[in-house]
Amino acid sequence: MSFIQSYTHHTTVKYIRELASLPTELSFLAVLDSFALLLAGVALLSYLFPENTWDRPDPYRHIWFEKPQVGDNAISNNNQATRDISQMLDKLNKNAVIFWGSQSGTSERLANLLARELSHRFGLETLAADLSDFDPESIMLIPKSKIALFLLSTYGEGDPSDNANSFWAWLDKDNLPSLSGLRYSAFGLGNSNYKHYNRVVDVVDMNLRLAGAEQLLPAGKADDAAGTTEEDFLRWKSELFAFLVNGLNMKESDSQYKPVLSTVYDSSLEQIDLHHGQPDDSGVTGSNESPAKSLLVTNARELFTAAERNCLHLDISLSGQPEMSYKTGDHLGVWPMNPDQEVERLIQAMGVNHLRHVPLSISANDAAISIQFPSPTTITALFRYYVEICAPISRDTLRTISEFAPSPEAKAWLLHLGSDKNIYRDFLDKTHLNIGRLLELAAGKAIWTELPLSFLLENLPRTRPRYYSISSSNVLSPRIISLTILVPSTKLKNNENTVVPGLATGYLLAHSNSRHDVQIAPSHPSNLSYELSGPSGALEGGKIFAQIRHSTFKLPRQPTCPLIMIAAGTGIAPFRAFIAERSRIQTSGVEVGQMILFFGCRHPEYDYIYRDELEALITSLGGKLDIKLAFSRSNRPEKTYVQDKILESKENICRLLGEGASLYVCGRASMAREVGNHVLSVIVEDKGWEEAEGQKWITTMKQTRKWQEDVWG
C-alpha cells in the first residue's frame, strides 16, 4: 500500500469513528466539511508526491515503444538464434567482430564501413554487432584466433550509449573474469568540449587490459568539437591496417567495392505497398521516446529583430495524436527532409530520372545483415526522406567513389583531392560539398552510370530526427508544444554570399515561411524548396513529422526549492517553461522558491529573446525571480558572458546553494564547461576548499540530480 493510500485509509477510519458520536444534523455538516478537507489533503499529497499518483509510471508502458536495434550489417533479430557472440561468430563463419556503442548513429555507421573494408581488403570476414544484442559475458568466450574491435561513443557526463549500458555495467564489476583469450583494439568517439572527453573508451580499454586482454594497438580517439571525427577515424584505421599486415602477417589487397546490399527496380510492385517517406524510426526510437507522428504547427514567429539571423518560435499541437504527451523539460525530435534542389541534383547526376517513381526493392547479400532502409520504396523517397544526401562527404568516401568516375579526368581530380587531408580541408572551407555537388564538381554534366545505388546506401548516413528542448510547460500548455530554434548562418571562407543551410533548420524555416499568417525573412538568400505536403500528402495543412523524447532535465518536486538557471542563446528554452510553471504554481497560492536566471546573448536589442515574457514574469513572481544578463556584442567596452556574471553574483549563488538550490545549465557544451569551472572557483573560495574537494562536491551534486545539464555540441 502506498503512502497516500495508507494515509487516506487511516484518515477515513478516524473521521467515521468521530462522526458516529455527533448529533444527526451536526454529523451531516461534519461529513461535508470532513470530505472537503480530505479531498484537499489528498490533492496536496498527490502534488507533493507525484511519483505515487499521476507521475507513477506504467510498468508495461515501455512495450509500446520498444523496437529491436536495427542497422546495416548488424545481426537481424530474425537470424539471431543466440545471445552468445562466440556462437554467433562460428555460426556465421566470421573471424572478427566490431562491437559498436552508438547514441547518434555515427559509431554504428563507421563500424559497418570498417567491417566491409576488412572483408574486402584482408578477407577478414567481419561482423558489426550492436553491443545490446549479446550477453557481455559471452565476450570472454571469443577465441584467440578471432579479433574484437570496439567503436564506442561517449556523451553527457562521460556516459556510454544506451545500447552499451549492459556491457558497461559488466565490465565495471570487481570480479571480472579473465579475458586473457581476447585480442582487441578500441576507438572512441567524443567531444573535447565536454569535461569527460572520450571517457568510455578510456575506461573500457583500461578494464580490458586489467582483465588480461591483449591490446593489439593503442586506442584511437575522435574529437567532434574539432570537426575531425572522420579524419581521426581514418588515421586509426590506417594504423589498424598496418598492424594487421606487419603484426599479424595478413595479406592486404586493393579494396574494390563489393556491394552488401542489392537494389532492384520492380514495376510489378503496387504503389500502395511502398514506403513513400513516412519516418523509419526502427533503431532510432528507444524506450524513452514516442513513435514519430504527424503534428500540426499551429503558430510560427520570428524572435530576432536583427536581419542577419533567424530564431524561430514554433507552437506544435498534439491534439491529433491523443496517445502522445510530454512533461516540462522533455525534447521534441523533428524529422527533416532534403531540399528539392539536392534531390534533383543527385537524381540527374546518377541518370535515374526515368526511374524516380519505379518501385525499388532493397535486400541484403548476406543473411546476417539487416537492411537499414525501408523496402520496397522509390529512389525519390530514399533521396528525399531516408538518406542524408546533404551530409558532408568524408575524404575516405571521396577516394572510394573515384572507382566509379565517368572519365579519367574526374577520377584523377577525386584522387588528388582525397590524397591529403590539408588539401581536402582547404577545399571544404571554400565549398559547400555534399554527394550531389561532389558528383557535379568532379564530372560536370557527365552521368555517373557506373555508380551503384547500393554504394550510396552503404556509405551515407540514414536520416535521423533532430532534437530540440521544449520551451513550454505541460502544466500551462498540455497539448501545445513550443520550440525555440536558432537557424544557423554558417558562411564559407572567401565566399560570404554562400551560406550552408542546416538540414532541419532550413526545412523548418521554409515550413514557417509557407504559412499564410506569417512571413519570416530568411537571414540569407535561399532558393531552397521542400515537398512540404510530405509523402502521399501526409503533412498537408502545415504538419511535420516529430516524436517526443522524455528527459531527466526536470524541476525539483518541491516548488519551494531555489533554482539557479544558466543559459546562452536558445538554451533559455527549458527555463522559459520552468519559470512560467513556477509562476502558475505561485498564482494558485503555493509558495515557490527564489530563482535566478543567468542569460547570455549577443545584443540587448536584437536577440534578447522572450524579453517581454521574462519581464512580465519578474513582475508576476513578486521578487522571486532575478535575471542577470550578459551581452557579448553590445556597445560595452568588452564582451560579457554568463560565466562573468556568475563571478559578479557569487554571494547570491553561494547563499542559494546553501539553501539547497538546484543548478541547471542549458546551451553549448563549451559554455557549460566554462560555467562549471567558474562555479567551482566560486564554491571553493566560499568554502575554503582545495580544488579536489570542490570537484567532489560537483560530482555529488550531479549524482543526486541537484546539478543538471542539457547541452549539445
Side-chain angles (χ1 to χ4, degrees):
M1 182 179 291
S2 72
F3 170 77
I4 292 175
Q5 291 169 331
S6 177
Y7 175 86
T8 304
H9 171 75
H10 290 296
T11 304
T12 303
V13 171
K14 175 183 176 183
Y15 275 110
I16 289 174
R17 288 173 176 170
E18 292 178 354
L19 290 174
S21 63
L22 293 175
T24 304
E25 293 181 1
L26 292 177
S27 176
F28 177 73
L29 294 175
V31 166
L32 293 179
D33 291 342
S34 300
F35 186 66
L37 287 171
L38 182 62
L39 286 178
V42 171
L44 178 61
L45 287 170
S46 298
Y47 180 82
L48 294 177
F49 300 95
E51 70 277 10
N52 294 102
T53 52
W54 59 73
D55 273 354
R56 189 171 184 176
D58 176 0
Y60 301 107
R61 182 177 182 272
H62 66 281
I63 295 174
W64 291 97
F65 304 115
E66 283 188 349
K67 289 190 176 182
Q69 294 274 359
V70 179
D72 177 26
N73 217 33
I75 292 294
S76 166
N77 282 280
N78 294 329
N79 295 317
Q80 185 172 334
T82 177
R83 288 184 56 81
D84 185 323
I85 183 60
S86 63
Q87 291 182 10
M88 183 58 68
L89 293 175
D90 289 340
K91 176 183 176 182
L92 299 175
N93 198 28
K94 305 291 186 180
N95 42 30
V97 58
I98 305 174
F99 292 108
W100 55 265
S102 184
Q103 198 71 14
S104 64
T106 304
S107 294
E108 177 185 2
R109 179 177 61 84
L110 294 178
N112 295 325
L113 293 173
L114 180 58
R116 291 195 292 272
E117 193 165 2
L118 287 173
S119 177
H120 299 163
R121 196 180 283 268
F122 294 94
L124 193 64
E125 292 301 321
T126 307
L127 172 69
D130 181 340
L131 272 167
S132 65
D133 281 342
F134 298 96
D135 294 326
E137 295 85 354
S138 66
I139 292 176
M140 61 183 289
L141 303 177
I142 298 175
K144 203 163 188 175
S145 59
K146 302 182 187 296
I147 294 174
L149 303 175
F150 295 86
L151 268 58
L152 305 168
S153 296
T154 299
Y155 79 103
E157 291 298 312
D159 299 319
S161 58
D162 290 343
N163 75 310
N165 278 328
S166 295
F167 170 69
W168 179 261
W170 173 76
L171 202 62
D172 194 43
K173 294 193 305 184
D174 292 333
N175 56 344
L176 191 67
S178 172
L179 297 175
S180 58
L182 181 69
R183 296 188 301 167
Y184 81 97
S185 186
F187 181 81
L189 291 90
N191 186 311
S192 60
N193 281 332
Y194 290 83
K195 179 179 179 181
H196 301 287
Y197 167 61
N198 263 311
R199 173 175 178 258
V200 171
V201 75
D202 285 340
V203 171
V204 168
D205 186 44
M206 177 185 68
N207 285 357
L208 288 176
R209 284 187 284 112
L210 289 175
E214 178 186 351
Q215 183 194 59
L216 299 179
L217 70 158
K221 295 181 182 179
D223 186 4
D224 189 52
T228 58
T229 295
E230 298 287 347
E231 285 293 337
D232 294 335
F233 178 71
L234 184 58
R235 181 176 64 253
W236 176 80
K237 188 178 70 171
S238 298
E239 294 171 358
L240 173 64
F241 289 176
F243 175 81
L244 295 178
V245 172
N246 301 319
L248 299 182
N249 298 318
M250 290 187 181
K251 184 177 180 181
E252 182 178 10
S253 59
D254 291 336
S255 178
Q256 291 188 331
Y257 174 69
K258 296 177 183 177
V260 298
L261 296 178
S262 175
T263 56
V264 178
Y265 292 97
D266 186 355
S267 57
S268 68
L269 295 172
E270 297 291 337
Q271 289 289 321
I272 195 173
D273 296 325
L274 305 184
H275 296 266
H276 292 285
Q278 287 76 8
D280 176 31
D281 54 14
S282 59
V284 174
T285 301
S287 59
N288 66 333
E289 294 172 283
S290 69
K293 300 289 184 180
S294 60
L295 303 178
L296 178 65
V297 179
T298 60
N299 176 53
R301 58 188 171 97
E302 173 63 58
L303 295 176
F304 284 169
T305 59
E308 68 269 13
R309 296 200 304 158
N310 287 116
C311 187
L312 303 176
H313 175 95
L314 303 181
D315 291 324
I316 301 164
S317 175
L318 299 178
S319 297
Q321 304 294 341
E323 74 282 8
M324 295 180 73
S325 63
Y326 80 101
K327 296 287 187 183
T328 306
D330 284 346
H331 304 101
L332 189 75
V334 176
W335 286 81
M337 64 176 71
N338 293 309
D340 297 335
Q341 288 80 357
E342 297 303 331
V343 174
E344 290 302 312
R345 189 193 308 275
L346 188 53
I347 285 177
Q348 298 303 326
M350 295 186 67
V352 292
N353 186 58
H354 60 296
L355 298 171
R356 63 169 61 233
H357 299 303
V358 178
L360 173 70
S361 290
I362 307 171
S363 58
N365 296 330
D366 186 330
I369 296 172
S370 289
I371 303 169
Q372 192 173 6
F373 302 98
S375 176
T377 184
T378 65
I379 196 168
T380 303
L382 281 171
F383 288 171
R384 175 166 284 123
Y385 300 108
Y386 296 130
V387 187
E388 294 207 1
I389 63 173
C390 295
I393 302 300
S394 70
R395 186 164 61 95
D396 207 21
T397 300
L398 180 144
R399 294 188 301 185
T400 307
I401 209 171
S402 66
E403 179 182 339
F404 311 106
S407 68
E409 294 78 12
K411 182 174 184 178
W413 183 81
L414 288 168
L415 290 176
H416 170 71
L417 188 60
S419 62
D420 182 85
K421 67 177 183 180
N422 294 322
I423 293 175
Y424 191 49
R425 170 59 64 182
D426 182 64
F427 181 79
L428 290 180
D429 286 342
K430 301 174 183 176
T431 310
H432 174 206
L433 191 67
N434 55 37
I435 184 63
R437 294 170 183 266
L438 174 66
L439 300 184
E440 276 189 350
L441 288 170
K445 294 184 178 181
I447 305 301
W448 289 70
T449 55
E450 300 301 316
L451 178 61
L453 175 60
S454 58
F455 178 89
L456 299 185
L457 300 184
E458 294 166 13
N459 285 272
L460 298 180
R462 61 173 165 174
T463 300
R464 290 174 175 266
R466 269 52 175 180
Y467 291 96
Y468 300 95
S469 298
I470 294 175
S471 57
S472 56
S473 162
N474 72 293
V475 172
L476 281 73
S477 177
R479 304 306 296 168
I480 297 290
I481 285 176
S482 295
L483 297 184
T484 308
I485 301 171
L486 176 67
V487 181
S489 53
T490 305
K491 298 180 180 180
L492 298 174
K493 291 182 179 179
N494 303 325
N495 190 350
E496 289 294 310
N497 294 323
T498 301
V499 176
V500 181
L503 181 62
T505 54
Y507 162 57
L508 291 173
L509 182 62
H511 190 282
S512 299
N513 273 320
S514 71
R515 301 176 59 89
H516 299 298
D517 58 338
V518 63
Q519 281 294 309
I520 299 171
S523 59
H524 52 81
S526 174
N527 61 350
L528 296 180
S529 61
Y530 297 82
E531 190 69 28
L532 297 178
S533 61
S536 304
L539 301 179
E540 286 182 351
K543 297 178 180 178
I544 60 174
F545 286 124
Q547 64 192 96
I548 293 168
R549 182 173 70 184
H550 300 293
S551 167
T552 58
F553 195 77
K554 301 297 182 187
L555 278 166
R557 290 197 176 108
Q558 298 291 345
T560 54
C561 178
L563 305 181
I564 300 170
M565 298 166 285
I566 306 164
T570 53
I572 198 175
F575 302 142
R576 173 182 184 255
F578 284 10
I579 297 169
E581 187 167 313
R582 279 281 179 97
S583 178
R584 172 63 62 88
I585 291 172
Q586 179 168 279
T587 302
S588 68
V590 178
E591 183 182 356
V592 300
Q594 188 70 35
M595 294 173 285
I596 182 169
L597 169 67
F598 296 90
F599 177 49
C601 55
R602 293 186 178 184
H603 198 281
E605 299 298 328
Y606 303 143
D607 53 9
Y608 179 3
I609 58 178
Y610 301 121
R611 179 173 186 168
D612 292 342
E613 285 185 29
L614 292 171
E615 290 178 349
L617 286 167
I618 291 176
T619 301
S620 68
L621 282 161
K624 289 298 180 71
L625 174 64
D626 186 17
I627 298 180
K628 304 294 185 182
L629 299 168
F631 302 112
S632 62
R633 298 191 184 182
S634 65
N635 295 324
R636 295 177 58 144
E638 58 185 26
K639 296 180 179 181
T640 304
Y641 298 99
V642 288
Q643 52 265 35
D644 301 319
K645 292 295 180 179
I646 287 173
L647 295 180
E648 292 179 10
S649 305
K650 58 185 179 181
E651 291 83 5
N652 277 341
I653 289 177
C654 291
R655 176 179 58 83
L656 291 176
L657 288 172
E659 295 172 2
S662 290
L663 187 148
Y664 298 85
V665 184
C666 187
R668 291 196 170 276
S670 54
M671 180 274 292
R673 183 186 60 199
E674 289 300 314
V675 164
N677 291 337
H678 282 67
V679 173
L680 173 65
S681 67
V682 165
I683 199 68
V684 164
E685 178 184 347
D686 180 70
K687 299 290 186 181
W689 287 342
E690 297 294 331
E691 183 174 329
E693 293 176 285
Q695 292 286 4
K696 184 178 179 180
W697 173 82
I698 290 178
T699 299
T700 301
M701 288 280 287
K702 291 181 177 180
Q703 289 174 343
T704 57
R705 308 297 301 163
K706 295 292 288 181
W707 181 318
Q708 299 184 44
E709 295 182 350
D710 184 2
V711 300
W712 57 86

